[in-house]
Amino acid sequence: MKSALLLIDIQNDYFPGGKMELVRAEQAGHQAKGLLDAARKKGIPVIHVQHLSTRPDAPFFIPDTPGVMIHDLVKPMPGEVVVQKNFPNSFRATNLQDVLTRAGIDHLFIGGMMTHMCVDATVRAAADLGYQCTLASDACATRDLVWEGRTIVADHVHGSFLAALSGLYAQVLPASVVTRQISE
């Protein structure tokens, strides 16, 4: 199998001081940096996904603002692919599948933000397209959600989405284990 590292939406607006701060974004960012360092060392292709909002009333990821930039922890290096998207699914209306096909990739190591939205949509789409996915559980972050007047805390949101992805859609493992797999 030929692998690539896919880092989804690890952007400034999700970090402290950003317009949509996530719970434990810094910790997830550091775990994603570990994945990135291992992939670079091993020579595994790295693909960064950057969300750009196109809605006129968008509260975050507004083009040409500091918040839309990929966070310095995982800043792309020259030669690394950056796929820009406008929808949660990183494959929708992007060239991601073409990039993967041209490189002969059939396995994705994945980390990113938000677990319940763009990570979930992308992992499901990748699996449906035939890619084998390994998701680093602690290299992802999310936020509290409100539904029917109840607050569902980020830990429960995160755990529920990872549990739903685990098995059929992805192998879900701690970043330390995924980093070792990348390094092998």
Side-chain angles (χ1 to χ4, degrees):
M1 273 208 213
K2 187 167 181 191
S3 299
L5 174 62
L6 185 65
L7 296 177
I8 304 165
D9 300 352
I10 304 179
Q11 295 169 244
N12 291 336
D13 270 342
Y14 282 151
F15 286 80
K19 294 183 178 184
M20 180 57 74
E21 185 176 336
L22 303 183
V23 175
R24 285 192 285 289
E26 288 181 325
Q27 295 89 332
H30 283 285
Q31 294 296 344
K33 181 185 184 328
L35 300 174
L36 180 58
D37 291 345
R40 286 173 173 164
K41 184 176 180 180
K42 188 71 174 179
I44 291 174
V46 176
I47 301 158
H48 302 267
V49 177
Q50 180 186 34
H51 194 112
L52 301 171
S53 185
T54 56
R55 294 181 315 164
D57 62 340
F60 62 103
F61 290 166
I62 300 164
D64 302 318
T65 66
V68 79
M69 301 304 297
I70 294 174
H71 195 276
D72 282 344
L73 282 170
V74 294
K75 187 175 179 177
M77 291 180 62
E80 292 177 347
V81 174
V82 177
V83 172
Q84 293 183 330
K85 68 177 179 70
N86 309 115
F87 301 98
N89 173 355
S90 298
F91 290 91
R92 182 178 172 190
T94 71
N95 67 338
L96 178 57
Q97 188 170 8
D98 291 336
V99 167
L100 297 173
T101 299
R102 279 195 310 272
I105 303 299
D106 50 15
H107 174 252
L108 298 170
F109 293 109
I110 302 170
M113 300 176 180
M114 292 189 280
T115 312
H116 76 276
M117 184 63 66
C118 298
V119 172
D120 179 68
T122 300
V123 169
R124 288 173 187 270
D128 287 345
L129 291 168
Y131 296 97
Q132 181 180 344
C133 299
T134 302
L135 179 59
S137 59
D138 50 347
C140 299
T142 196
R143 64 184 180 94
D144 295 351
L145 296 177
V146 176
W147 185 67
E148 292 189 351
R150 295 182 304 143
T151 298
I152 297 114
V153 296
D155 284 346
H156 293 177
V157 173
H158 185 72
S160 295
F161 276 81
L162 293 176
L165 291 172
S166 183
L168 181 61
Y169 291 102
Q171 184 179 29
V172 180
L173 301 166
S176 60
V177 174
V178 177
T179 299
R180 281 196 302 274
Q181 289 181 359
I182 291 171
S183 299
E184 293 176 347

